[in-house]
Amino acid sequence: MRLILSLFAALVSAVPALADGPKLKALIVDGQNNHNWKATTPLLTKCLEDCGRFTVSVATSPEKGTVGFAPKFADCGVVVLNYNGTEWPAETKADFLAFVRGGGGVVVVHATDNAFAKWPEYNELIGVGGWGGRTEKDGPYLRLRDGKIFRDERAGPGGNHGKQHEFTLAHTDPEHPITKGLPPVWKHTQDELYDRLRGPAKNLTVLAFAHSDKATGGTGEKEPILMVIEFGKGRVFHTTMGHDVKSIQCVGFQTTLQRGAEWAATGKVTLPVPKAFPSADKSLATE
Ligand code: ZN
């Protein structure tokens, strides 16, 4: 019987992996944020688990300070940051950088790019960020002008948004695994449209921009919304969307989060393009 079982086990292990592969481990980091992380982390978890590609665990920091906060980054395929708070202990920061440099994936969601303004490697990892005293000393603003990325070196603070509204994303890299097959222009549900983000923007590709309208308190520029950054052997997917529950319910946010997390973890995207997706004129939200 033991022989039969081991033969069976050998046969099973010889079967090629399904197209969508084994489940990837995602770790969401939260606990401090000027946003409602207690409401958004369960939605991010559901979004990742519902696509069938991830198992999700959560590392929640202390409410104040980060003494002893040491998530096990090395155990997972992708770390999803829903964090904007106190700087981590030196050992935790070193563990995190070693994880990414060694090939780990990271997803940066919304106010996560406000965090750790004085941590140089973090600023490189997120590409561009806002607030926290960021200025021209941290790097340029990134804008899309005449169809090309423009590194705007002018002086000024980093980070701003106008009033919340629905806005339209236009993909600038439709062949990237994350965006490939998705409609190249689509409308996002009500959210903050981050503008004036600035940073080193090294090894960074912008996947989607949105026009930041002066009428809603924006810059009049096309601002980056979806980005990917290479950091060591690691991959980072950065979405500036996801201010609150309403914006996370957008099918476009969810689809790009799932595909971005899969790409960050593996360098590939196997998740299919959903049949129902926002159009250029109409946003689409889940219940
Ligand atoms: Zn926000």
Side-chain angles (χ1 to χ4, degrees):
M1 186 63 183
R2 186 172 294 168
L3 177 67
I4 292 170
L5 278 176
S6 57
L7 274 174
F8 179 71
L11 270 175
V12 167
S13 64
V15 173
L18 295 170
D20 59 353
K23 292 208 176 186
L24 303 165
K25 285 184 185 172
L27 174 69
I28 299 179
V29 177
D30 66 10
Q32 294 180 28
N33 203 320
N34 59 328
H35 290 66
N36 189 358
W37 59 269
K38 288 182 182 171
T40 56
T41 287
L43 288 183
L44 297 173
T45 301
K46 182 175 182 335
C47 170
L48 292 171
E49 288 186 340
D50 280 359
C51 73
R53 192 73 173 98
F54 302 93
T55 55
V56 180
S57 55
V58 180
T60 300
S61 75
E63 259 181 58
K64 287 186 180 165
T66 52
V67 175
F69 184 55
K72 291 193 168 52
F73 301 118
D75 290 350
C76 62
V78 58
V79 173
V80 180
L81 295 172
N82 189 22
Y83 185 90
N84 179 21
T86 315
E87 207 157 292
W88 299 334
E91 203 166 295
T92 303
K93 287 165 67 176
D95 280 354
F96 178 65
L97 293 178
F99 162 75
V100 190
R101 286 190 173 122
V106 180
V107 175
V108 171
V109 178
H110 193 61
T112 289
D113 69 22
N114 304 182
F116 307 144
K118 291 177 177 54
W119 181 5
E121 292 91 344
Y122 184 77
N123 282 327
E124 194 176 320
L125 186 148
I126 62 174
V128 288
W131 295 272
R134 288 176 170 92
T135 65
E136 63 276 11
K137 72 181 178 344
D138 296 291
Y141 300 121
L142 289 185
R143 270 76 189 261
L144 186 72
R145 290 188 186 164
D146 301 325
K148 290 182 187 145
I149 292 187
F150 177 67
R151 295 169 72 95
D152 190 340
E153 308 273 358
R154 78 175 82 171
N160 180 63
H161 60 77
K163 69 172 184 182
Q164 291 186 42
H165 63 292
E166 294 200 338
F167 55 86
T168 303
L169 273 75
H171 294 171
T172 42
D173 192 345
E175 290 303 311
H176 191 277
I178 297 171
T179 47
K180 195 173 173 69
L182 296 176
V185 179
W186 54 276
K187 186 162 268 189
H188 179 39
T189 57
Q190 182 179 304
D191 204 339
E192 290 171 347
L193 198 174
Y194 273 7
D195 64 64
R196 297 187 177 94
L197 299 182
R198 62 190 320 161
K202 281 195 235 170
N203 306 317
L204 177 149
T205 305
V206 181
L207 303 185
F209 283 89
H211 177 67
S212 170
D213 198 333
K214 284 187 174 171
T216 55
T219 55
E221 299 270 2
K222 289 187 171 61
E223 301 281 352
I225 305 295
L226 302 177
M227 294 160 265
V228 290
I229 301 101
E230 288 173 32
F231 186 85
K233 291 181 188 159
R235 288 166 298 272
V236 181
F237 171 66
H238 180 167
T239 175
T240 70
M241 302 182 290
H243 168 73
D244 62 7
V245 167
K246 193 162 187 171
S247 38
I248 289 176
Q249 284 170 331
C250 167
V251 171
F253 173 88
Q254 296 189 356
T255 302
T256 50
L257 182 87
Q258 292 161 344
R259 293 167 71 92
E262 186 185 23
W263 176 82
T266 67
K268 294 182 184 140
V269 174
T270 63
L271 291 166
V273 173
K275 287 195 179 78
F277 197 81
S279 68
D281 308 316
K282 205 167 184 314
S283 62
L284 179 66
T286 57
E287 292 298 306

